[in-house]
Amino acid sequence: MTQPATPDTTPEATEAASPATPQTAPTTTPTTPSATVLARATRARIAVFIVFALAGVAFATFASRIADSKASLGLTAGELGLTLFAASAGSLTALPSAGRLASRLGASRTIQLGMVFGFAGLVVIAAAVDLFESRWVMAVGLYLLGMGVGVWDVAMNLEGAAVERLLGKTVMPHFHAAFSGGTVLSALIGAGMSWGHMPLLVHFAIAIVISAVLGVWALRSFLPRDAEVSDAEEQEAAASAGTTPKSAWLEPRTLMIGLVVLAAAFTEGTANDWISVGFVEGHDVPAWAGVLAFAAFLSFMTLGRLVGTRLLDTYGRVPVLRVTFAMAAVGSLMVIFGPAWLAYLGTAVWGVGASLGFPVGMSASADDPARAAARMSVVATIGYTAFIAGPPLLGFLGDHFTVLRALMAVTVMVALAMLVIPATRELARRPG
């Protein structure tokens, strides 16, 4: 993979980026980063890797105890779905302005802000389950967690896009693999905590302290502000010309990439929220075995992201995404209709299938560094809509058709993704 470049805005380039155009390898102009830039980008790459992993730890700290929280509060599938809706609402509250916030404060400070909200949310959730036994208090905690994760997510993806640009090769799936790896580790710890009936307050407190220490240490190695992707240059150019920059919400390609990320987020998020509950209630396994199904899904999603960079460099975004989304559909059907042993195998296929949609969509939204912040905020906002619609939709379907059968909604979202995947095609690039 060669390094990303400023997109061509000629009619020929526009035609090359059209979803209707057959997949072709992007034209490239190899350049070699200076030793100083490469060293700086390499340090930042490690730091971004750690921050992505910590975001995964924070998310799975709660996700691994969803089944326990449902049982402790005596929630039905529908009630759980509506309660989880609060996290999605929190994310969508923060996401539209997250890109502007990161451009103004820098990725490091924005992530710190996200951590504060996210960790506060975990504390409130744990108190809601262990002390107050209240789904409404839990909803408040989920709202804070959603806000924190939303801000954290956009800022770390922007930093990852900047590192990818400086290194001149595809690395975004590796960052998302780090997120998945963090969720796997956290899910396995959560399975042990669930098996040992550890209170959520103790479990979450340990995770928060470790994540905060590692996060502060890693953020010191982020890129300097002038090396991060930002909309500042475009805004200054527009101001000098007396014009207003075109809103990213009006760009067809950006909106279609957002739909790809929406489908990917739904495919991934459905498993994150419901796969352990589906195994417990649909395959009659104990709670800790349900968490292991969740861990298996995350493990193979991580593997898919580690292997995926080479496949993307070799075959391009479009064909790889078509294959992986199809795998997600097949894997989910194995989980739904197969016996327990086949369902566990299905979590592996589903995990690989869900691995690349989100990171590839984020990379595609940042193909033009000068517009990366605005476009990534739009794409992330559309994608996170899946986390708003997903929990209540799956909860409603779960109440009427069982949680396991409700997972068939994944197939519908995969069909949607197949229609708009060509929008992620690498933009044509100018020679020289």
Side-chain angles (χ1 to χ4, degrees):
M1 181 88 179
T2 54
Q3 75 175 15
T6 302
D8 198 337
T9 57
T10 63
E12 292 80 9
T14 303
E15 178 67 22
S18 169
T21 305
Q23 172 72 14
T24 56
T27 56
T28 58
T29 305
T31 59
T32 303
S34 68
T36 301
V37 170
L38 186 60
R40 183 174 63 184
T42 300
R43 289 194 302 271
R45 179 181 182 177
I46 296 171
V48 174
F49 193 88
I50 293 172
V51 169
F52 266 81
L54 293 177
V57 169
F59 166 76
T61 294
F62 165 69
S64 66
R65 304 300 296 270
I66 287 177
D68 288 335
S69 300
K70 179 178 183 292
S72 295
L73 299 179
L75 303 178
T76 66
E79 290 171 339
L80 176 61
L82 289 174
T83 306
L84 293 174
F85 175 87
S88 305
S91 292
L92 284 188
T93 299
L95 282 170
S97 59
R100 292 193 300 271
L101 191 65
S103 290
R104 182 173 301 173
L105 300 180
S108 178
R109 290 185 178 179
T110 305
I111 290 172
Q112 289 176 23
L113 183 64
M115 286 181 172
V116 169
F117 278 97
F119 294 157
L122 286 176
V123 172
V124 174
I125 292 168
V129 175
D130 290 347
L131 302 180
F132 302 109
E133 297 183 353
S134 168
R135 60 178 289 209
W136 303 111
V137 176
M138 181 178 175
V140 173
L142 285 168
Y143 184 84
L144 292 173
L145 178 62
M147 285 187 64
V149 169
V151 171
W152 187 344
D153 185 88
V154 170
M156 70 183 183
N157 273 284
L158 282 169
E159 184 74 8
V163 170
E164 188 174 61
R165 175 172 57 84
L166 290 179
L167 290 175
K169 59 183 179 180
T170 301
V171 293
M172 188 70 84
H174 285 172
F175 296 144
H176 286 260
F179 178 90
S180 301
T183 59
V184 170
L185 175 62
S186 190
L188 292 173
I189 294 173
M193 295 289 187
S194 176
W195 176 78
H197 303 287
M198 182 68 68
L200 268 65
L201 278 169
V202 176
H203 175 192
F204 289 9
I206 294 172
I208 289 170
V209 170
I210 294 175
S211 297
V213 171
L214 290 176
V216 170
W217 176 77
L219 290 172
R220 295 184 304 175
S221 296
F222 267 35
L223 295 172
R225 290 288 304 280
D226 60 0
E228 294 177 352
V229 292
S230 173
D231 295 340
E233 292 182 5
E234 185 201 20
Q235 292 169 356
E236 291 175 3
S240 63
T243 61
T244 302
K246 181 181 178 181
S247 171
W249 285 99
L250 300 177
E251 299 173 348
R253 179 177 183 265
T254 299
L255 296 178
M256 286 188 286
I257 292 171
L259 290 177
V260 173
V261 174
L262 171 69
F266 186 88
T267 302
E268 177 182 344
T270 296
N272 288 336
D273 288 342
W274 293 100
I275 203 167
S276 61
V277 176
F279 267 78
V280 170
E281 297 183 359
H283 292 294
D284 298 319
V285 301
W288 62 266
V291 177
L292 288 180
F294 173 53
F297 167 82
L298 294 174
S299 297
F300 280 88
M301 185 167 65
T302 304
L303 178 63
R305 286 171 171 171
L306 291 173
V307 175
T309 54
R310 178 169 296 181
L311 295 176
L312 289 165
D313 287 347
T314 303
Y315 300 106
R317 294 170 181 167
V318 174
V320 172
L321 287 187
R322 282 175 173 156
V323 172
T324 54
F325 270 107
M327 290 179 65
V330 171
S332 65
L333 293 176
M334 292 168 66
V335 169
I336 297 166
F337 296 107
W341 67 268
L342 185 61
Y344 275 100
L345 180 60
T347 63
V349 179
W350 187 349
V352 174
S355 62
L356 295 178
F358 203 101
V360 168
M362 288 299 185
S363 285
S365 70
D367 277 347
D368 177 6
R371 295 280 287 160
R375 287 172 177 159
M376 194 172 285
S377 283
V378 170
V379 167
T381 301
I382 296 173
Y384 270 77
T385 303
F387 299 125
I388 277 200
L393 172 62
L394 268 293
F396 173 81
L397 295 175
D399 281 345
H400 290 78
F401 304 102
T402 76
V403 169
L404 204 57
R405 294 293 186 269
L407 298 179
M408 290 185 66
V410 170
T411 306
V412 176
M413 294 304 294
V414 166
L416 171 64
M418 290 294 185
L419 297 175
V420 293
I421 281 173
T424 65
R425 182 179 291 113
E426 295 89 343
L427 293 180
R429 301 168 189 177
R430 288 191 179 97

